[in-house]
Amino acid sequence: MRTTATLLLVCAAALVVPPPTVFAGDLRADLIEKVHMYETATDRFAPVYPALAKQLVQDYGITTGVCVDVGGGTGQLAMEIAKITDLTCYSLDIDSNAVRLSGILVDEAGLTGRVVPVEGDAQNMPFKDGFADLVVSRGSIPFWPDRAQGIRDCYRILKPGGVAYIGGGFSRILDPAIRNPIAQWRADSTMSEGFKSPADLYEVAIKAGLPPDQLRQDNEPIAGWWLEIRKPADATRWYREWNATLQPWHEQIARQIVDRYGLAGKYGRVLEFGWGAGSLSIPLARLTNFTFVIAAKDASAAQVANEQAREAGFAGRIQAVACDPDHLLFDENTFDYVFGHAGPAVWAHPDKAMKEIARVLRPRGAGVVGNGCPLDCSKDSEMAFCKHAKKLREAPYAPKDGFKQCATRQTMLSWTKASGVDATIISPETIHNLWVEIRK
Ligand SMILES: C[S@@+](CC[C@H](N)C(=O)[O-])C[C@H]1O[C@@H](n2cnc3c(N)ncnc32)[C@H](O)[C@@H]1O
């Protein structure tokens, strides 16, 4: 009797609660029918996604944090990236059916929570600024109505230090025997209406206002065009440490400059042109009445210089701006003096930088730039300076593309000669430093 009742109950339950797989199966089939890219992605293009995921990890080494796949379709690339990294991957697409289908596929792949499908428009993504460590986008940009705006939004959501790889292609590292027929098929196929070839991505990014030195076009054979964007890391912490650690030496350099040119109490315009973030301008502002412009190495250096100038009460007299050392932003004959610490150690082309110093100096102006400890420095102070500077240079969060060389006197002389300016080495032979005076 009890067995019959139990059986009846089970049957009744089966009638009112249909197995979820029946519904999911219908929905899955229905969505597959609606999302045409699914068939290509899981058939002809299937080998592309694991290879592209591997290439991204090999090239950029970004394996933790957040990845956004823009126009990710049914999530194949995001899933492959999630499988070989610890990244949380957001697969964003404007097509709600593609997003719903990728939700089902992600669950089936056991990647729930690791890959998150999101509905959204590449040109205005629902992510905050600096959200992603890695932004990828394969085969979607040709369909964005305003490609420049889409690229700008990818840049916006990228973290400082992050990389974006946007375009279309089939992975450089996929076996050519597999890759080339796919790429050839793609090259031969007729493009849908509104499709814009991604061959001009660099130009589009420049039009979007992105900094040229952060961009690189990376093309594949037969078919495949990519734009690589590398957003510089935030180096403000390092510049603050540089200024704080070396402050006693910078103050000594400032006093020596004031004595050498008799600047105490005088007025005029000074350009600070070195590595740090305005480390000489603040002590010089205390000792003189000059106004200072700082040609900072990058945006982080300019930010720290401006913050510290404001904190010291010199916001009206010190102004920093990030500058290309080969092409300073200033007119010729603009400054009475140019001073800078560590510039020759970080400039890619010290001869060009010296030429720029002579160009922006007023006639009878003078510039002093150099590396190392102050002009006149005790042995103990010199050793302490070298120890601190080495530790700072080697810090893992030091600015990328920072320290380049500790020049010998011979190298310095070859630079001054190549620059064609009137320059003399003024530091003593024996000390661990190298200072050059440029006269106009
Ligand atoms: C050719 S498919 C590529 C899909 C996927 N990236 C892949 O490689 O399998 C292009 C995708 O871009 C999406 N898309 C087009 N315009 C978009 C936009 N403005 N914002 C976000 N996604 C978009 C489409 O819905 C489609 O899923």
Side-chain angles (χ1 to χ4, degrees), residues 138-431:
R138 201 214 74 85
S140 185
I141 191 167
F143 303 100
W144 304 349
D146 184 345
R147 294 182 300 161
Q149 176 51 32
I151 288 178
R152 222 176 278 126
D153 217 43
C154 288
Y155 189 77
R156 177 187 67 76
I157 66 162
L158 200 57
K159 250 184 213 161
V163 181
Y165 201 60
I166 304 165
F170 309 96
S171 175
R172 240 179 24 237
I173 66 169
L174 183 58
D175 179 352
I178 301 171
R179 185 201 168 275
N180 292 353
I182 305 176
Q184 195 59 55
W185 174 84
R186 164 67 175 72
D188 295 342
S189 63
T190 329
M191 296 307 161
S192 63
E193 210 179 309
F195 184 96
K196 301 173 207 78
S197 166
D200 60 347
L201 289 179
Y202 181 84
E203 286 76 26
V204 179
I206 294 289
K207 201 179 118 205
L210 267 59
D213 61 342
Q214 297 174 27
L215 309 175
R216 189 173 71 89
Q217 176 104 21
D218 185 21
N219 294 342
E220 293 176 22
I222 308 174
W225 300 269
W226 296 96
L227 173 74
E228 179 192 84
I229 307 172
R230 285 173 181 267
K231 199 178 209 178
D234 178 358
T236 50
R237 170 183 164 197
W238 186 88
Y239 283 112
R240 280 191 199 96
E241 272 180 37
W242 174 272
N243 283 0
T245 313
L246 303 182
Q247 188 179 353
W249 289 275
H250 288 136
E251 284 175 349
Q252 195 179 346
I253 294 167
R255 283 195 299 274
Q256 289 177 357
I257 286 172
V258 169
D259 291 347
R260 185 176 179 89
Y261 298 104
L263 303 183
K266 292 220 175 114
Y267 291 82
R269 281 169 69 81
V270 167
L271 172 68
E272 180 177 346
F273 183 28
W275 185 359
S279 50
L280 295 182
S281 293
I282 291 175
L284 282 169
R286 287 204 178 96
L287 299 168
T288 71
N289 295 315
F290 282 80
T291 56
F292 298 83
V293 175
I294 299 163
K297 187 178 174 300
D298 54 38
S300 298
Q303 184 186 327
V304 170
N306 285 325
E307 276 170 16
Q308 295 192 339
R310 202 170 45 240
E311 282 157 19
F314 292 124
R317 284 176 57 203
I318 298 178
Q319 175 70 53
V321 58
C323 260
D324 174 357
D326 291 359
H327 304 282
L328 293 177
L329 294 165
F330 317 107
D331 289 339
E332 49 193 75
N333 306 334
T334 301
F335 298 101
D336 302 289
Y337 296 96
V338 177
F339 303 124
H341 182 232
V346 291
W347 295 327
H349 310 109
D351 54 330
K352 287 190 185 166
M354 288 180 197
K355 215 174 184 158
E356 282 296 273
I357 292 175
R359 185 181 66 77
V360 302
L361 271 177
R362 285 188 182 142
R364 288 181 300 283
V368 175
V369 289
N371 299 333
C373 57
L375 266 175
D376 187 8
C377 190
S378 74
K379 201 77 202 150
D380 285 350
S381 172
E382 178 191 340
M383 296 320 289
F385 174 90
C386 290
K387 201 178 93 199
H388 288 306
K390 183 170 185 296
K391 198 167 162 214
L392 284 159
R393 281 196 323 251
E394 291 171 359
Y397 49 93
K400 281 206 167 49
D401 189 31
F403 180 78
K404 291 193 176 50
Q405 63 244 323
C406 239
T408 60
R409 288 177 86 80
Q410 215 44 47
T411 320
M412 187 68 98
L413 285 171
S414 72
W415 290 333
T416 58
K417 191 162 172 230
S419 72
V421 304
D422 175 4
T424 321
I425 294 186
I426 55 171
S427 44
E429 293 266 358
T430 47
I431 300 188

Side-chain angles (χ1 to χ4, degrees), residues 68-80:
V68 175
D69 183 1
V70 185
T74 45
Q76 278 70 24
L77 181 57
M79 287 194 272
E80 293 303 331

Side-chain angles (χ1 to χ4, degrees), residues 37 41 49 71-73 92-95 120-123 138-140 143-145:
M37 184 60 197
Y49 305 101
L92 172 131
D93 206 282
I94 202 161
D95 177 355
D121 186 340
Q123 302 157 116
R138 201 214 74 85
S140 185
F143 303 100
W144 304 349

